[in-house]
Amino acid sequence: GEDVEQSLFLSVREGDSSVINCTYTDSSSTYLYWYKQEPGAGLQLLTYIFSNMDMKQDQRLTVLLNKKDKHLSLRIADTQTGDSAIYFCAEFVNSGNTPLVFGKGTRLSVIA
Amino acid sequence: EAGVAQSPRYKIIEKRQSVAFWCNPISGHATLYWYQQILGQGPKLLIQFQNNGVVDDSQLPKDRFSAERLKGVDSTLKIQPAKLEDSAVYLCASSVGTGFGYTFGSGTRLTVV
């Protein structure tokens, strides 16, 4: 079955790095995603990683994937107050027409 | 490219009333999803359409929820009658294919009192 777990809260100081962690259960996951949700807004795709990759870097964002441990992390370098939001991890299993399965989200608070 | 449009943005109704939400996906996106996001939780899939056919509605409470996607484009989600526990944000998303390139709308925040 599919299950995605995240820690609920993270607080960091402006300028520090943030690391948001996620674990998933389905080893058949093909893609893993990070979405950002600001208050009153929909989900914005931040980045994704294919399951055959270990790492992906995109400007301030670094995604690390440990398939053996089914662990995904999102590192935000030089965190800014504008990064304050809820971050969702989601997995996609390429089997039939399965949709994305989301975690409960990690609320990132950036302290100035 | 225009995004996924949803309306209304907010809705407050009394329990046992009916409500409908509308979604207009990105042009050319064959797959359309309705997700329910209860406060403090991640989005949970309610129903998935491929063109105008239902692919997955296993999590849709069919005794009170219904959805349709006319002509494989716009979609409506209806709740009749609403319960207090239906208070949530209802998110519509669309994608070209299954599982990749989801684009979400801003959602409709429903409050049932």
Side-chain angles (χ1 to χ4, degrees):
Chain A
E2 302 161 345
D3 196 16
V4 178
E5 298 286 339
Q6 301 178 239
S7 53
L8 295 182
F9 301 100
L10 177 66
S11 181
V12 299
R13 293 197 177 278
E14 191 175 20
D16 288 350
S17 292
S18 308
V19 179
I20 302 171
N21 295 300
C22 167
T23 58
Y24 59 97
T25 56
D26 197 322
S27 57
S28 305
S29 295
T30 308
Y31 306 114
L32 291 138
Y33 298 85
W34 285 104
Y35 281 83
K36 177 183 181 182
Q37 187 176 39
E38 295 182 82
L43 277 71
Q44 172 197 355
L45 178 63
L46 278 181
T47 187
Y48 62 91
I49 189 168
F50 294 111
S51 58
N52 62 356
M53 298 169 63
D54 298 324
M55 185 184 87
K56 180 178 180 182
Q57 189 150 0
D58 184 1
Q59 299 181 331
R60 292 191 298 122
L61 306 178
T62 303
V63 179
L64 295 178
L65 175 60
N66 181 328
K67 279 198 74 174
K68 175 175 169 288
D69 294 338
K70 297 187 192 125
H71 182 266
L72 181 74
S73 68
L74 173 69
R75 179 176 179 269
I76 306 172
D78 187 26
T79 312
Q80 302 298 306
T81 54
D83 295 323
S84 294
I86 302 176
Y87 291 80
F88 291 93
C89 170
E91 66 171 348
F92 171 66
V93 177
N94 191 15
S95 171
N97 289 302
T98 54
L100 289 186
V101 176
F102 289 85
K104 291 186 176 181
T106 299
R107 182 180 294 275
L108 173 65
S109 297
V110 182
I111 305 164
Chain B
E1 171 180 80
V4 175
Q6 288 190 248
S7 67
R9 285 299 311 274
Y10 305 94
K11 190 74 178 178
I12 301 174
I13 62 172
E14 295 182 349
K15 59 183 179 184
R16 292 189 289 273
Q17 284 188 323
S18 302
V19 64
F21 313 128
W22 174 82
C23 172
N24 178 238
I26 290 176
S27 177
H29 280 194
T31 312
L32 185 147
Y33 312 82
W34 283 102
Y35 279 83
Q36 180 192 56
Q37 186 179 16
I38 293 173
L39 185 66
Q41 297 185 21
K44 183 188 83 170
L45 181 75
L46 290 175
I47 188 166
Q48 176 182 345
F49 292 93
Q50 182 77 14
N51 296 310
N52 61 350
V54 174
V55 171
D56 182 356
D57 63 357
S58 57
Q59 298 298 309
L60 189 74
K62 298 181 188 62
D63 57 333
R64 299 183 300 106
F65 286 64
S66 64
E68 60 182 5
R69 189 181 184 195
L70 300 175
K71 300 180 183 177
V73 183
D74 293 2
S75 178
T76 55
L77 175 69
K78 296 178 182 177
I79 308 174
Q80 179 181 8
K83 292 185 175 182
L84 296 176
E85 59 260 37
D86 298 331
S87 294
V89 175
Y90 290 84
L91 294 164
C92 179
S94 69
S95 65
V96 173
T98 305
F100 193 77
Y102 276 46
T103 301
F104 280 86
S106 296
T108 296
R109 182 177 297 276
L110 173 67
T111 303
V112 182
V113 297

